[in-house]
Amino acid sequence: MTIESILQNRASMRAFLDKPVPNETLKHIFSSAQLSPSNCNVQPWQTCVVSGATKDKLKLQFMETLKSGASPNPDFNWLPQYQGVHRERQFGSANALYSAIGVAREDKKARQMAMIRNWQFFDAPHAVFFTMDKYLDIMGAVDLGIYAQTLSLLMAEHGLSNCMQGALGQFPDPVRQILNLPDDRGILFGMSFGYADEHEAVNSTKTDREPIDNAVAFFD
């Protein structure tokens, strides 16, 4: 597959088969992702891949955290609220998702349950947490975004699907505790991944993209 065809066909998947990815495939993909560019070649990503019992333990701890009513306490700045056209696109994305699974706008409980699925990793066999030293701030975040996109493309090339999740950075304490991360390491966001269950309605979700005239300016 070409990169262009991958981008034309990929979508965020939120239902996965109970089929782990072979270890040799995982190591090959993550080794290749090390070729990602970064500012001054600092390579700030500290990538944590969770599977099996560790993933299940994290899932249970996330559920306990949510049941306790705890508020999100992300390591990095997730406070800004979308405005204007960005808010409209956010609503459009949510509408596409809930329409795919038949959840009405006024059904707040069903929407909440769909949101909780983020911290259950959408039942994917694997998840990855993108972490970095906290002091790196926005420069490190740029590099982690580049790295995560590289990883996503490599996964697609190997027949894997994923879902990027800002939600996995909202409650860093269980992650830090279970993975024994130092206090000066921050969890920016995460990604659930594996083999998509093509028969699940949620995986039919499609979002729009802006035409190039609204997104790109060419200057001669």
Side-chain angles (χ1 to χ4, degrees), residues 121-137:
F121 307 110
F122 302 118
D123 293 332
H126 312 280
V128 52
F129 291 89
F130 301 104
T131 83
M132 65 180 188
D133 290 347
K134 291 178 180 178
Y135 85 90
L136 290 163
D137 200 53

Side-chain angles (χ1 to χ4, degrees), residues 71-147:
S71 297
N73 62 326
D75 288 325
F76 299 97
N77 183 16
W78 284 92
L79 296 178
Q81 297 295 313
Y82 292 127
Q83 301 175 16
V85 67
H86 305 128
R87 183 74 164 163
E88 293 172 10
R89 292 171 187 162
Q90 180 188 32
F91 284 148
S93 176
N95 183 61
L97 171 61
Y98 296 128
S99 295
I101 59 177
V103 172
R105 183 181 180 85
E106 63 274 9
D107 192 343
K108 293 183 178 180
K109 182 176 181 180
R111 289 188 168 218
Q112 183 180 39
M113 293 305 296
M115 183 64 183
I116 287 173
R117 294 281 293 156
N118 277 280
W119 295 285
Q120 297 172 335
F121 307 110
F122 302 118
D123 293 332
H126 312 280
V128 52
F129 291 89
F130 301 104
T131 83
M132 65 180 188
D133 290 347
K134 291 178 180 178
Y135 85 90
L136 290 163
D137 200 53
I138 191 169
M139 291 303 297
V142 169
D143 290 337
L144 260 65
I146 294 170
Y147 172 82

